[in-house]
Amino acid sequence: MKKRILIANRSEIAIRIIRSAHRLGMLAVVLQSDKEPDALYLKYADEIIPAKDAQNEKPIFLNAERIVEIALEHQIDMIHPGYGFMSENPDFAALCEENGINFIGPSPELIRNMGIKTIAKKMAIEAGLPLVPGSDGAVKDAAKAAEYAASIGYPVLLKASAGGGGRGMRIVEKAETMERLFKSAYDEAISAFGNGDLFIEKYLTNPKHLEFQILGDKHGNVIHLGERECSLQRKHQKLMEEAPSASLSPEMRKEMGDMAVKFAKQIGYFSAGTIEYILDESGTFYFMEMNTRIQVEHPVTEMITGVDLVDWQIKVAMGEKLSLTQDDIKMNGWAIEIRVNTEDPQNRFSPQTGFIEKIHFPTSKDIRIETGVTHGSIVTPYFDSMIAKIIVHGKDRPDVIAKTLKALNEFSLIGLKTTAPFCRAVLQHEEFVTAKYTTRWVDTYFTPEMLESEDEELVGALAATIIYATDYLQIASEIPTSRNESLNLWVLNKRIN
Ligand code: ADP
């Protein structure tokens, strides 16, 4: 009997996991949300379970009890949570365990400890990792926060202990704004995580974000697969990634990688995980946090190491021993990942929803495409705006930059604006080309005018969009009426623009 794996996720990562499940001889079962009943990933699955979540505010992927109920009804052996949604929810992992379903990820206890940043930092200190100067745990209120900030000096960063995705985070430049920013960080943390605990870190003004990929098994073996640089961010969210990082010497890579492995071993970590570091302008590195799941940007690591991380997540969950040692991990060339988000970079990255009339991806042996959409897909407001990833491999950094630019020139999407033109501008910017870019790049260098020449192409695309409008309406009439309204409105908006 083939093992049945339920993917509690959607879009490109669901398809990515299905690929691994099939490679390992398993059946892939997916959940169909009423919020996107025609999604592309459904076509790849062996079995589709309608989740009937139309009446619920939350999509099925956030409903832990219901997912486990469905898994039990459908004789599921294992659940892969992907990223986001339930992937770092210790209660969900525990619920799976209690019901005899193999959760593909680390233990609930590990997820819980690493999910609370203040606990993770305490455990990191015990393993000898360097930390950014900061408060010892959460601070009680704005007054205490101001007192502490005065002792380490402004600017400081308020961070939510239970935070993720850059939420519940505020930079405080001076004492006068502490009270207001403390309240807004607290409110955001409460609404996003149900936990308003905030702690303080010294704010590094121009840092780089580097992270090490960890892989461990249930037998105490842990290795790392090198680093990724994810400094290209907006509002603390990653937009493009590369591996390796040009900012590390082989000695630093070894030091940071060894420390990451030591930490993971000390906490008894298994499955795929990521140790995030921040690097200041002097080249000093500090531990930031650990993510206990597969990352969006994992393909850049896979491309340069040849190791399939999702295959290993599944094998480790089944108790298999890592057959790879640290010496087996060799870095080959360089990889860049472009996140294609349906956001308008010329309009403060405002989310775009609507209909994808046509989408064309570049193809070559050096290009890997991970997408959750195709011609005719509808991007709804219910989910994240990342619709695809374009991952490119080159023999070295200049080679991969040139190939990624070429790939982006060949990519086209008619219907919605995306972050692809933005990424094209980054790839040509001197700070990126010389690898000096930091997490401040967008705030320091990006202006919508940078994309003006790109816009001419968009105008061309828009003309094509209007020509296709009749087709849209015809297709729209075939789509269930509840969505017609927004679709027509969207076509209308496009015409007015
Ligand atoms: P989240 O879990 O919400 O993603 P992280 O702790 O991973 O939060 O931080 C997200 C981003 O915020 C980092 O990649 C980095 O750009 C920025 N950041 C975090 N800590 C600091 C700091 N002390 N100084 C400057 N920037 C920071």
Side-chain angles (χ1 to χ4, degrees), residues 117 132 157 159 163-167 169 201-204 207 209 233 236 276 278 288-289 439:
K117 293 181 190 201
V132 183
L157 190 61
K159 278 187 172 182
R167 279 173 304 169
M169 222 186 257
E201 268 179 13
K202 178 81 192 151
Y203 179 65
L204 307 179
H209 173 121
Q233 301 181 354
H236 308 301
E276 294 191 339
I278 191 162
M288 206 161 30
E289 65 161 344
T439 60

Side-chain angles (χ1 to χ4, degrees), residues 122-131 259 262-263 266 285:
K122 282 210 171 75
M123 294 174 89
I125 294 176
E126 283 162 22
L129 264 69
L131 297 192
M259 274 196 178
K262 183 177 171 222
F263 177 52
Q266 196 149 316
F285 69 89

Side-chain angles (χ1 to χ4, degrees), residues 269-285:
Y269 196 80
F270 59 89
S271 195
T274 298
I275 308 272
E276 294 191 339
Y277 290 110
I278 191 162
L279 191 74
D280 73 12
E281 281 170 293
S282 71
T284 309
F285 69 89

